[in-house]
Amino acid sequence: MSSPDGSGDRRSGRIGIGLALDSVHFKILDILRTQGRISVAALAQRVGVSRANAYTRVEALRADGVISGFSARVDHARVGLEICALIFVTVRQELWKQFRTALAQMPEVEYCAVTTGQHDAMIQIRVADVAAVHRLVTDQLSTIPAVRATETVIILDEVLRRPYVLPSTPGSSEPTPTTPPCTPGTSQFGMTRFIRAADGRADLRSGTDSED
């Protein structure tokens, strides 16, 4: 591996136990993103290093926590979960712990994140049909005292999903998409409107005070 004071295209800064990532590490991560079961010999050939070097680098990535684990990817439709939905939740601020605990008991929940804006959290679920989405929202989420309101969006098509994202580099195998210039009078499909967190939280607190 490169020495700490070496130059070149190493990323600035260190991570975890002190591993400095260079271009070879990123090439390895890029390959493992789609071929997690590739042999060390094949990986070394793809990256252009010796087998011992590839093995050492992968083990260093694992020991440093850059690679946190390996898992299988499942075709959700093949296991009967054809519907994916996003549920935006407004949470009573004093009951966050209850909200987190309740979500952990719902096997339909694939992902949850705290967000800025008019809502407090976004939940991604996978279920068999639209009726199951309705049941989860009305029979489960709405009965949690921590939940003030919900807004549900059904995913029509998952256009792109990567196991993980890597920083864009000049030598990346995937081109970085460019944003077309905005033309006055035309709609920008896919653009996101961000609301300052302070405004959303202020409205939430005032709404909570008036109701309680």
Side-chain angles (χ1 to χ4, degrees):
M1 299 179 67
S2 302
S3 60
D5 57 349
S7 59
D9 46 7
R10 177 188 287 111
R11 301 284 171 177
S12 60
R14 294 175 179 273
I15 55 176
I17 61 175
L19 178 64
L21 298 183
D22 58 21
S23 61
V24 177
H25 288 113
F26 280 100
K27 287 179 182 178
I28 290 174
L29 292 172
D30 187 34
I31 294 171
L32 292 179
R33 177 163 52 181
T34 56
Q35 301 179 56
R37 301 185 65 183
I38 190 173
S39 67
V40 175
L43 178 63
Q45 185 176 18
R46 291 278 303 276
V47 175
V49 298
S50 68
R51 185 182 183 282
N53 188 292
Y55 176 82
T56 300
R57 286 174 176 271
V58 171
E59 288 303 304
L61 289 169
R62 294 180 61 184
D64 196 58
V66 179
I67 297 178
S68 58
F70 292 89
S71 61
R73 293 200 301 269
V74 175
D75 185 328
H76 297 98
R78 293 292 300 274
V79 297
L81 303 177
E82 298 189 4
I83 298 296
C84 179
L86 302 178
I87 305 174
F88 298 91
V89 184
T90 302
V91 181
R92 297 185 185 276
Q93 300 300 289
E94 70 277 11
L95 297 177
W96 269 105
K97 184 176 181 180
Q98 181 195 75
F99 176 68
R100 293 171 181 267
T101 301
L103 282 189
Q105 306 303 316
M106 299 181 184
E108 302 90 347
V109 175
E110 179 178 22
Y111 175 78
C112 178
V114 178
T115 64
T116 61
Q118 64 187 43
H119 301 290
D120 299 300
M122 185 201 76
I123 304 171
Q124 179 173 313
I125 65 170
R126 291 190 185 273
V127 292
D129 49 41
V130 175
V133 176
H134 180 69
R135 288 193 299 271
L136 187 142
V137 173
T138 58
D139 297 344
Q140 296 186 61
L141 280 177
S142 64
T143 62
I144 302 173
V147 175
R148 288 189 58 196
T150 63
E151 180 180 346
T152 304
V153 177
I154 301 294
I155 301 298
L156 299 179
D157 185 15
E158 297 182 60
V159 179
L160 176 64
R161 173 179 288 272
R162 294 187 177 98
Y164 49 84
V165 178
L166 296 171
S168 299
T169 60
S172 175
S173 59
E174 295 182 321
T176 302
T178 57
T179 303
C182 179
T183 303
T186 60
S187 61
Q188 295 295 306
F189 179 76
M191 298 294 287
T192 302
R193 178 172 62 89
F194 290 95
I195 304 174
R196 290 186 302 169
D199 294 340
R201 293 299 186 272
D203 293 340
L204 178 65
R205 287 195 296 270
S206 61
T208 303
D209 296 338
S210 60
E211 288 187 4
D212 299 340

